[in-house]
Amino acid sequence: AQTVTQSQPEMSVQEAETVTLSCTYDTSENNYYLFWYKQPPSRQMILVIRQEAYKQQNATENRFSVNFQKAAKSFSLKISDSQLGDTAMYFCAFMIEWAGKSTFGDGTTLTVKP
Amino acid sequence: GAVVSQHPSWVICKSGTSVKIECRSLDFQATTMFWYRQFPKQSLMLMATSNEGSKATYEQGVEKDKFLINHASLTLSTLTVTSAHPEDSSFYICSARDGFQTSTEAFFGQGTRLTVV
């Protein structure tokens, strides 16, 4: 079975600063995907960034980037130039390529302070 | 982009009654849909996986007779909470995956807040 661990229940950052959210996972699979989702107060799940396990290059999406360390089974999210709208709960998720269903971490509540 | 619509957004029902939640893929064919349950400030817990035209696969500990899932078409899956009780109050989220595309991620509906009184 796959497990996803987010060790930071809550974090805060000043507006315009950079923050890194941690995520580790455990699996014996070789072909899988990792995701970071944002869940604002509306509770709509929003995909932030995706990483294919077979790609060595770290994924980036504008202000969001990941540090994917496959051997260490680590997948952290860096948010640069934090904005007030980034305040949300962030979930790290793991998906086996063929299965389609995702396993989620417990989430990190991020507060961006003005 | 891929859109998944979940209805209703919120519902209040009396104990003992049943309530149906719909999950529709609006612009793609969802060969697989997933149903999650989320308690406040907690993670998403997978309840079941439904594939179009076949029986749903339930996760361990989820009561099949209580949470009826039907995936009768490639655009619609329904979750029926039968004989609801206050402990069934929760936030239910569906997601859908386009099995005919190379896209890997599943797309989420906006969720349904169920309150059983």
Side-chain angles (χ1 to χ4, degrees), chain A residues 33 39 44 50 95 101 105, chain B residues 38 43 59 104-105 110:
Chain A
Y33 296 84
Q39 188 179 43
Q44 171 73 57
R50 174 181 69 192
M95 185 186 82
K101 61 182 180 180
Chain B
Q38 185 183 30
S43 188
E59 295 298 305
T104 54
E105 72 264 27
Q110 68 268 43

Side-chain angles (χ1 to χ4, degrees), chain A residues 33 35 37 39 41-45 47 50 89 91 95-107, chain B residues 32 34 36 38-44 46 49 59 91 93 97 102-106 108-111 113:
Chain A
Y33 296 84
F35 306 92
Y37 287 94
Q39 188 179 43
S42 68
R43 303 190 79 171
Q44 171 73 57
M45 294 291 285
L47 178 65
R50 174 181 69 192
M89 196 160 187
F91 291 98
M95 185 186 82
I96 301 173
E97 183 178 19
W98 55 265
K101 61 182 180 180
S102 296
T103 300
F104 289 84
D106 288 338
Chain B
T32 306
F34 307 93
Y36 296 87
Q38 185 183 30
F39 291 105
K41 297 189 177 182
Q42 293 188 23
S43 188
L44 281 71
L46 181 67
T49 302
E59 295 298 305
F91 192 68
I93 308 176
R97 194 174 183 218
T102 57
S103 170
T104 54
E105 72 264 27
F108 285 86
Q110 68 268 43
R113 185 182 305 278

Side-chain angles (χ1 to χ4, degrees), chain B:
Chain B
V3 178
V4 175
S5 177
Q6 194 171 334
H7 178 82
S9 298
W10 59 271
V11 59
I12 301 173
C13 70
K14 293 183 177 180
S15 285
T17 63
S18 296
V19 60
K20 180 184 288 186
I21 302 170
E22 293 186 347
C23 181
R24 293 181 184 274
S25 57
L26 299 186
D27 51 3
F28 66 97
Q29 293 181 320
T31 52
T32 306
M33 288 187 172
F34 307 93
W35 287 95
Y36 296 87
R37 183 174 181 175
Q38 185 183 30
F39 291 105
K41 297 189 177 182
Q42 293 188 23
S43 188
L44 281 71
M45 300 304 296
L46 181 67
M47 299 174 65
T49 302
S50 72
N51 292 294
E52 185 268 336
S54 62
K55 290 184 178 180
T57 301
Y58 290 81
E59 295 298 305
Q60 191 172 8
V62 177
E63 299 177 58
K64 301 178 182 181
D65 295 333
K66 181 162 192 63
F67 299 100
L68 301 180
I69 292 173
N70 183 278
H71 193 163
S73 78
L74 284 171
T75 60
L76 174 65
S77 176
T78 60
L79 167 68
T80 301
V81 183
T82 63
S83 186
H85 289 95
E87 57 264 32
D88 298 325
S89 298
S90 189
F91 192 68
Y92 293 88
I93 308 176
C94 72
S95 69
R97 194 174 183 218
D98 185 346
F100 297 105
Q101 299 293 327
T102 57
S103 170
T104 54
E105 72 264 27
F107 303 96
F108 285 86
Q110 68 268 43
T112 297
R113 185 182 305 278
L114 170 64
T115 303
V116 184
V117 297

